[in-house]
Amino acid sequence: MTRRLAEVAKKVGVSEATVSRVLNGKPGVSDATREAVLTALDVLGYERPTQLRGDRGRLVGLVLPELQNPIFPAFAEVVGGALAQQGFTSVLCTRTVGGVSESDYVDLLLQQHVSGMVFAGGLYAQGDASHSHYRRVLERKLPTVLVNAAVEHLGFPQVSCDDVAAAEIALAHLMALGHRQVAMLLGPPDHVPSQRKLAAFRAYAAANGLELGPDHVEHTMFSLEGGHAAATRMVTAGVTGIICASDVLALGAIRAARRAGLSVPEDVSVIGYDDSALMNCVDPPLTTVRQPIDAMGRAAVELLVAQIDAAVVPGDELLFEPELVVRASTAPAPRS
């Protein structure tokens, strides 16, 4: 107990006696100091006294799959800033292979009595993954928002980029450039946003008389290496345009084309998805479908705060329009 008092007092910059008064519910402490002491308890990993557990700290868990893909740090920056404007502090939780899992982070955040959680790129988007940790959040009735498409049975509010519109504007762009051998490079088969993009891709192709062969759709992991391996099969099959489900996959596709002795965009046009940082600086600058990260991040925080304030928030999905950003990785189809 003495060690806990000392650590919290040092963290907040008050005396141990002041911390003791807060923990014991005694008067004589300002609201600001009381809130600072309780937040310090949460940050340092100490449980609040039983009588104070109903008074949650103003912490919000932000759970991401990784930070190597630049779209996730960008999203974390938007959400963290929007939360700060509302008086909340984000707790960034990033999954690691063989390390702390998403389920582990959920348990940790629940122990810290966070005010809510925001998930992006999580297991909720994978149909074959375990979703038991989301059910624990639902049972606690904890305010939660999911970013981008999820499996249907969870029931959380969602903020998503319109995958159907994204696939359609990308394919329309390549068809306008004369491409008829167009392929789509997606995430794993159980990945819900990839499923939506694929359904839209096939529907738009059929409506516009574009035939799709067995080599025109590939599923892989969201990584540079995954994109390289899958795109190698596509360019070998004679594809001239590749639509990718992420910018990282698109970079892998460009590398695959070059390793096959082809030029981008002269021989193969490549379109990414996200418009993450520095995509205008790669060689060639990447044509991509931009997710409106700023608007989506702010909307996610607004939905979360509305739940925290006990407003009625339906478990619907807010769809945001993507934007095609044309750069130098797409060009007219090569003459046969």
Side-chain angles (χ1 to χ4, degrees):
M1 179 68 173
T2 301
R3 178 185 174 187
R4 179 174 67 165
L5 288 176
E7 287 189 18
V8 174
K10 182 179 179 182
K11 182 79 173 176
V12 180
V14 298
S15 68
E16 292 183 27
T18 298
V19 174
S20 179
R21 283 198 293 273
V22 173
L23 299 184
N24 290 296
K26 298 293 180 62
V29 181
S30 70
D31 290 341
T33 299
R34 188 179 302 277
E35 187 65 37
V37 169
L38 294 176
T39 300
L41 279 174
D42 296 331
V43 171
L44 292 171
Y46 292 120
E47 288 197 10
R48 297 184 178 203
T50 304
Q51 71 272 19
L52 298 176
R53 288 182 187 174
D55 183 19
R56 288 175 176 156
R58 295 181 71 80
L59 300 176
V60 171
L62 176 54
V63 186
L64 304 176
E66 56 164 315
L67 293 178
Q68 290 184 330
N69 185 333
I71 197 65
F72 292 118
F75 182 76
E77 182 178 6
V78 172
V79 171
L83 285 170
Q85 290 176 348
Q86 298 281 353
F88 292 90
T89 300
S90 60
V91 179
L92 183 60
C93 303
T94 308
R95 302 199 316 260
T96 56
V97 178
V100 182
S101 68
E102 189 175 82
S103 179
D104 293 333
Y105 275 127
V106 166
D107 289 338
L108 177 63
L109 292 169
L110 290 175
Q111 291 170 12
Q112 298 305 312
H113 306 286
V114 295
S115 297
M117 299 185 197
V118 177
F119 292 86
L123 298 178
Y124 59 84
Q126 296 176 229
D128 296 339
S130 171
H131 302 131
S132 59
H133 53 294
Y134 297 115
R135 286 192 286 273
R136 294 198 294 275
V137 175
L138 282 170
E139 290 168 359
R140 296 282 191 96
K141 295 182 171 26
L142 188 73
T144 299
V145 177
L146 308 180
V147 178
N148 281 325
V151 294
E152 294 183 354
H153 63 272
L154 294 178
F156 292 114
Q158 295 169 234
V159 173
S160 302
C161 188
D162 191 336
D163 293 300
V164 173
E168 289 178 349
I169 60 177
L171 182 52
H173 175 62
L174 289 179
M175 292 185 68
L177 291 172
H179 291 271
R180 305 298 295 178
Q181 297 297 318
V182 181
M184 179 160 264
L185 179 49
L186 300 157
D190 68 330
H191 184 244
V192 178
S194 291
Q195 292 172 353
R196 290 183 176 183
K197 289 182 177 73
L198 177 57
F201 175 71
R202 284 176 167 160
Y204 193 90
N208 290 275
L210 189 68
E211 294 185 7
L212 300 179
D215 299 312
H216 289 192
V217 175
E218 288 279 354
H219 291 276
T220 187
M221 301 303 296
F222 283 105
S223 67
L224 185 70
E225 294 75 18
H228 181 183
T232 296
R233 295 188 288 272
M234 291 177 166
V235 296
T236 301
V239 165
T240 65
I242 302 176
I243 300 170
C244 303
S246 78
D247 290 339
V248 172
L249 288 178
L251 296 181
I254 291 173
R255 188 170 73 177
R258 286 175 171 166
R259 293 282 176 87
L262 302 174
S263 297
V264 176
E266 289 80 5
D267 300 311
V268 179
S269 289
V270 177
I271 298 180
Y273 178 79
D274 285 334
D275 194 26
S276 45
L278 304 180
M279 289 304 108
N280 60 332
C281 300
V282 299
D283 180 27
L286 185 66
T287 294
T288 185
V289 178
R290 176 184 292 161
Q291 290 198 73
I293 290 299
D294 286 349
M296 291 170 61
R298 290 194 300 271
V301 171
E302 289 174 4
L303 279 176
L304 187 76
V305 173
Q307 293 176 72
I308 293 172
D309 292 341
V312 177
V313 178
D316 294 335
E317 182 177 17
L318 300 181
L319 286 180
F320 286 75
E321 282 291 310
E323 175 188 0
L324 181 67
V325 181
V326 179
R327 297 194 181 105
S329 67
T330 51
R335 295 179 181 179
S336 54

